[in-house]
């Protein structure tokens, strides 16, 4: 979603926008980083998008997957934890009818992966800059239990580029998980918190080791009442 009191909703069925006061919730939850590579961050146009970036920056919350230009949108964020350097990159391929703008050299928007050529280049470069690289991707078909063939193809390509874990979202329900060459691929975690439905989802905890491997722990969740 966008975080703003400004802007006008785009001509689409669902649009999401949060009051800037809600930023306090992210701070209360100790959020370190958010992904903006999705199909709703631009729901209220340029002004609200700009406010979203600014409010996150002012709060010290890092962001990936969108920006005021392509260089900003594709930027990998790095964290050093207990001597291990972890990189996070994010991109989106989520719309059947594409409305959310693509970030370009001098234009704001989201880091697209409808053509994942640039994403693979970014991941290859980032692999040489960190010990463990996470790709957080917005993809798949809403409310579909099974991941698509193209998702698996992209996952294999990202593994070839040095990505060490792939975590997906967008379908609103849990999809499958597999390992590709020892790399965990979680195609969709579902909705941790969304609308009034009674639904299952999951959180994932990655225990990362110095040799570049990780242990995956799944925390099953249920939203009810």
């Amino acid at each position: 979603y966008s975080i703003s009191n400004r802007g006008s909703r785009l001509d689409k069925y669902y649009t999401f926008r949060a009051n800037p006061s809600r930023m306090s919730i992210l701070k209360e939850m100790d959020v370190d980083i958010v992904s903006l590579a999705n199909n709703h961050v631009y729901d209220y146009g340029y002004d609200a998008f700009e406010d979203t970036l600014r409010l996150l920056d002012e709060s010290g919350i890092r962001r990936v997957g969108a920006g005021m230009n392509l260089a900003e949108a594709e930027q990998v964020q790095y964290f050093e934890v207990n001597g291990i350097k972890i990189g996070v990159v994010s991109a989106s391929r989520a719309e059947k009818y594409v409305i959310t703008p693509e970030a370009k050299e001098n234009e704001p928007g989201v880091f697209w992966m409808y053509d994942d050529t640039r994403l693979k280049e970014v991941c290859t470069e980032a692999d040489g800059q960190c010990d463990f690289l996470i790709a957080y991707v917005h993809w798949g078909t809403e409310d579909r239990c099974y991941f698509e063939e193209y998702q698996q193809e992209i996952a294999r390509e990202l593994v070839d580029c040095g990505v060490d874990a792939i975590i997906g979202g967008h379908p609103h329900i849990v999809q499958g998980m597999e390992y590709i060459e020892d790399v965990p691929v979680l195609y969709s975690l579902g909705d941790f918190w969304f609308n009034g439905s009674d639904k299952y989802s999951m959180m994932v905890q990655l225990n990362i080791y110095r040799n570049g491997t990780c242990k995956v722990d799944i925390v099953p969740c249920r939203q009810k009442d």
Side-chain angles (χ1 to χ4, degrees):
Y1 54 84
S2 56
I3 311 167
S4 179
N5 288 321
R6 300 194 298 158
S8 300
R9 66 185 299 273
L10 300 184
D11 185 17
K12 53 190 296 190
Y13 197 77
Y14 292 109
T15 55
F16 301 117
R17 179 176 58 175
N19 190 299
S21 65
R22 302 305 190 199
M23 286 296 301
S24 62
I25 297 175
L26 297 183
K27 297 296 289 184
E28 182 181 346
M29 294 171 64
D30 289 332
V31 171
D32 298 302
I33 186 169
V34 297
S35 168
L36 302 180
N38 59 66
N39 53 306
H40 288 293
V41 71
Y42 214 91
D43 277 358
Y44 282 79
Y46 174 83
D47 288 342
F49 178 77
E50 183 183 46
D51 286 347
T52 304
L53 305 186
R54 176 180 54 79
L55 287 166
L56 288 168
D57 293 344
E58 289 175 354
S59 296
I61 297 175
R62 297 204 220 171
R63 51 183 169 86
V64 285
M68 295 303 292
N69 51 56
L70 179 59
E72 195 175 306
E74 68 183 21
Q75 183 177 4
V76 182
Q77 293 287 349
Y78 297 100
F79 296 85
E80 187 161 323
V81 183
N82 295 329
I84 301 174
K85 189 175 181 181
I86 301 168
V88 182
V89 63
S90 187
S92 179
R93 176 178 168 170
E95 292 174 296
K96 185 176 181 180
Y97 304 105
V98 181
I99 297 175
T100 306
E102 176 187 16
K104 297 182 180 178
E105 184 177 358
N106 295 305
E107 297 178 23
V110 168
F111 188 19
W112 278 7
M113 62 177 192
Y114 294 92
D115 177 350
D116 63 349
T117 301
R118 182 55 189 155
L119 175 61
K120 290 187 290 184
E121 293 172 349
V122 169
C123 289
T124 299
E125 181 179 348
D127 177 48
Q129 303 295 319
C130 62
D131 303 306
F132 195 91
L133 180 60
I134 299 170
Y136 188 89
V137 288
H138 209 72
W139 61 2
T141 303
E142 292 183 359
D143 299 318
R144 181 163 182 169
C145 297
Y146 301 98
F147 54 85
E148 306 277 356
E149 183 177 354
Y150 86 81
Q151 292 172 261
Q152 192 174 50
E153 290 174 357
I154 291 176
R156 288 173 178 150
E157 292 173 349
L158 294 182
V159 170
D160 288 342
C161 294
V163 171
D164 298 295
I166 300 171
I167 301 174
H170 177 68
H172 295 288
I173 55 176
V174 175
Q175 290 186 338
M177 171 189 173
E178 65 176 335
Y179 283 87
I180 300 176
E181 299 179 17
D182 295 328
V183 172
V185 182
L186 296 98
Y187 286 97
S188 173
L189 302 185
D191 292 329
F192 178 69
W193 184 270
F194 189 78
N195 68 30
S197 300
D198 181 359
K199 59 169 57 180
Y200 291 97
S201 64
M202 62 183 180
M203 296 188 292
V204 57
Q205 177 173 298
L206 299 178
N207 298 283
I208 299 170
Y209 302 102
R210 295 183 188 278
N211 64 359
T213 62
C214 72
K215 176 177 177 289
V216 179
D217 287 328
I218 299 298
V219 182
C221 303
R222 184 180 183 186
Q223 173 182 289
K224 185 179 180 182
D225 297 330

